[in-house]
């Protein structure tokens, strides 16, 4: 495996697609620690800066699948080209096991029918650790390949729908894009892929 693996992908119509990445940049906002990032974002918001722009700061996006820039009039954001090898090295998916143990399988009211979906696929609460690891593995691979759907963007950040395959079922899992190639699961099942 070389650093060039995945740099050029095959598009839906068989055409070559360059997997080119950027880091979204809104000045003055540090990527870490999160508490300091929040303080700077809130201070800039008091001076009229856009919370959505601040939430995107430091996030890695593939150029063929990113929000339009500028996001609004007087947008202070810019895109900084980054190496694909950096994205591959830094990207990480995180899914709290409680998404399964305390949401999908334990609390049938809150899971909104998601427990039945996972039961029908053949999983139960005893499979929570496997599901956590598998969703993170697949989500990271799909994110690095630029295979995600942009969902809502607000002051909390950019949401992504990432395709997942369990057994013979294909569905979207919803994730929040965070700085430096990090993605965090917001819900294990976000809808069937049609």
């Amino acid at each position: 495996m070389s650093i060039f693996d995945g740099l050029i992908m095959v598009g839906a119509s068989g055409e070559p697609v360059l997997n080119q990445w950027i880091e979204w940049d809104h000045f003055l906002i540090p990527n870490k620690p999160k508490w300091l990032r929040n303080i700077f974002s809130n201070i800039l918001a008091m001076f009229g800066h856009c919370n959505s722009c601040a939430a995107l700061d430091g996030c890695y996006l593939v150029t063929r699948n990113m929000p339009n820039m500028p996001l609004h009039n007087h947008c202070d954001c810019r895109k900084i080209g980054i190496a694909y090898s950096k994205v591959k090295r830094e990207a990480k998916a995180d899914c709290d096991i409680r998404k399964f143990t305390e949401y999908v399988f334990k609390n049938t009211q809150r899971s909104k029918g998601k427990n039945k979906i996972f039961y029908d696929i053949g999983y139960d609460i005893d499979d929570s650790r496997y599901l956590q690891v598998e969703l993170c593995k697949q989500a990271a691979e799909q994110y690095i390949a630029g295979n995600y759907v942009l969902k809502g963007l607000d002051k909390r950040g950019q949401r992504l729908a990432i395709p997942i395959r369990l057994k013979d079922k294909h569905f979207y899992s919803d994730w929040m894009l965070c700085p430096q190639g990090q993605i965090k699961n917001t819900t294990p099942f976000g809808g069937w892929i049609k």
Side-chain angles (χ1 to χ4, degrees):
M1 192 170 228
S2 78
I3 62 167
F4 299 108
D5 290 341
L7 182 59
I8 298 177
M9 311 287 290
V10 177
S13 303
E15 76 283 4
V17 177
L18 184 61
N19 214 2
Q20 190 174 5
W21 287 79
I22 60 100
E23 179 178 344
W24 195 283
D25 182 57
H26 185 281
F27 72 97
L28 293 178
I29 300 176
N31 290 335
K32 291 182 180 177
K34 187 175 181 179
W35 63 268
L36 185 59
R37 179 180 172 80
N38 290 339
I39 289 172
F40 274 78
S41 294
N42 290 332
I43 290 170
L44 287 172
M46 289 190 306
F47 290 99
H49 287 264
C50 172
N51 285 324
S52 297
C53 289
L56 279 170
D57 180 75
C59 292
Y60 300 165
L61 294 145
V62 68
T63 56
R64 62 183 155 74
N65 196 2
M66 59 181 265
N68 292 327
M69 189 179 268
L71 285 179
H72 54 82
N73 292 336
H74 311 294
C75 186
D76 294 317
C77 294
R78 64 187 179 125
K79 49 187 174 185
I80 301 169
I82 58 173
Y84 176 67
S85 58
K86 180 177 182 174
V87 176
K88 282 180 71 172
R89 184 176 59 253
E90 294 184 6
K92 181 177 181 264
D94 179 45
C95 176
D96 190 326
I97 192 150
R98 293 175 295 179
K99 294 286 183 185
F100 294 100
T101 59
E102 295 179 21
Y103 172 58
V104 170
F105 293 118
K106 190 170 184 183
N107 189 328
T108 56
Q109 290 288 354
R110 280 188 51 221
S111 82
K112 302 174 186 165
K114 292 175 182 158
N115 55 349
K116 180 172 177 0
I117 291 166
F118 283 94
Y119 288 138
D120 288 349
I121 297 173
Y123 298 103
D124 61 29
I125 197 165
D126 294 334
D127 299 305
S128 295
R129 178 68 63 198
Y130 168 78
L131 289 167
Q132 174 198 31
V133 171
E134 187 62 20
L135 256 65
C136 286
K137 176 181 160 281
Q138 288 189 39
E141 289 169 356
Q142 294 286 6
Y143 170 69
I144 291 167
N147 294 331
Y148 54 81
V149 176
L150 296 173
K151 302 288 268 189
L153 169 63
D154 62 22
K155 67 181 181 179
R156 291 181 301 257
Q158 176 68 61
R159 285 156 198 74
L160 307 175
I162 297 180
I164 300 292
R165 180 178 183 207
L166 291 176
K167 298 186 179 178
D168 63 342
K169 304 296 183 196
H170 300 263
F171 59 91
Y172 287 111
S173 181
D174 292 344
W175 299 75
M176 181 66 76
L177 181 62
C178 302
Q180 299 176 311
Q182 309 300 297
I183 55 174
K184 293 191 183 294
N185 184 259
T186 57
T187 187
F189 180 86
W192 295 108
I193 295 176
K194 296 176 177 149

